[in-house]
Amino acid sequence: MGKLTVRALRAVLVVVLAGTVFVQAGMVWALASGSDPEDGSLPLTPLRVITILGMVSVQVALVCVWRLVAMVRRGTVFSHAAFRYVDVMIGAIVSASLVWFAVTALNAPGQRDDPGVTVIMGGVGMAILGVALMVLVLRMLLAQAVARDVEAAKMQAELDEVI
């Protein structure tokens, strides 16, 4: 992975992380101030708490990507240490989908006249779960690569002994 690619990815990660912190701070401020103009159409307090939790799951995934990029840069990504970050990332993505399904459930009663919005939101939740499944498949590929790397190292050691 080239230096430019790593820098560009890290710049994107920093911007997204800063954005999620900004949104979280706004939600915490709105919760702490208690100045909700809640007219009863939407349960804003639960939505704000869910938004804070959703941002946490995004932040966890961003940190895991950052750590994996660092491992790629050092050439150590094909090791058992990478599995920890991939597993945490899968958990963060699954939790983000659960948070999205909670938002969908809170929003559904207000969509009785147009249930298509709820169906679309449910589809977005399924798409988020699909991303988790894709990362799981990539984890399996990583496992195969690590196994092959270990096998190659053993064969190299045996060859070195013979020579």
Side-chain angles (χ1 to χ4, degrees):
M1 185 179 270
K3 287 183 181 182
L4 181 62
T5 305
V6 170
R7 287 182 182 153
L9 179 57
R10 285 186 173 168
V12 169
L13 293 175
V14 166
V15 168
V16 173
L17 187 62
T20 59
V21 169
F22 180 74
V23 169
Q24 277 179 323
M27 293 296 133
V28 169
W29 177 258
L31 285 172
S33 68
S35 60
D36 263 349
E38 228 176 294
D39 62 354
S41 62
L42 276 177
L44 291 180
T45 300
L47 284 174
R48 288 192 173 122
V49 171
I50 288 171
T51 300
I52 292 168
L53 295 175
M55 294 295 111
V56 168
S57 65
V58 169
Q59 291 165 347
V60 167
L62 291 172
V63 169
C64 289
V65 170
W66 185 282
R67 297 295 300 161
L68 287 168
V69 167
M71 292 179 81
V72 167
R73 209 55 200 129
R74 288 190 310 260
T76 60
V77 75
F78 294 115
S79 66
H80 292 286
F83 290 112
R84 174 181 43 195
Y85 299 114
V86 175
D87 291 340
V88 170
M89 192 179 342
I90 291 169
I93 296 168
V94 169
S95 70
S97 71
L98 295 176
V99 165
W100 184 258
F101 285 130
V103 169
T104 303
L106 283 173
N107 189 45
Q111 299 297 326
R112 291 197 178 139
D113 294 336
D114 187 12
V117 172
T118 303
V119 172
I120 291 170
M121 289 178 72
V124 169
M126 292 302 292
I128 296 169
L129 278 176
V131 171
L133 289 173
M134 285 188 279
V135 175
L136 181 62
V137 168
L138 293 173
R139 183 196 187 282
M140 290 178 202
L141 292 173
L142 177 64
Q144 287 179 353
V146 168
R148 295 244 165 97
D149 197 37
V150 168
E151 184 180 338
K154 285 181 185 176
M155 293 174 92
Q156 183 66 40
E158 289 175 6
L159 185 61
D160 288 344
E161 286 179 16
V162 170
I163 296 175

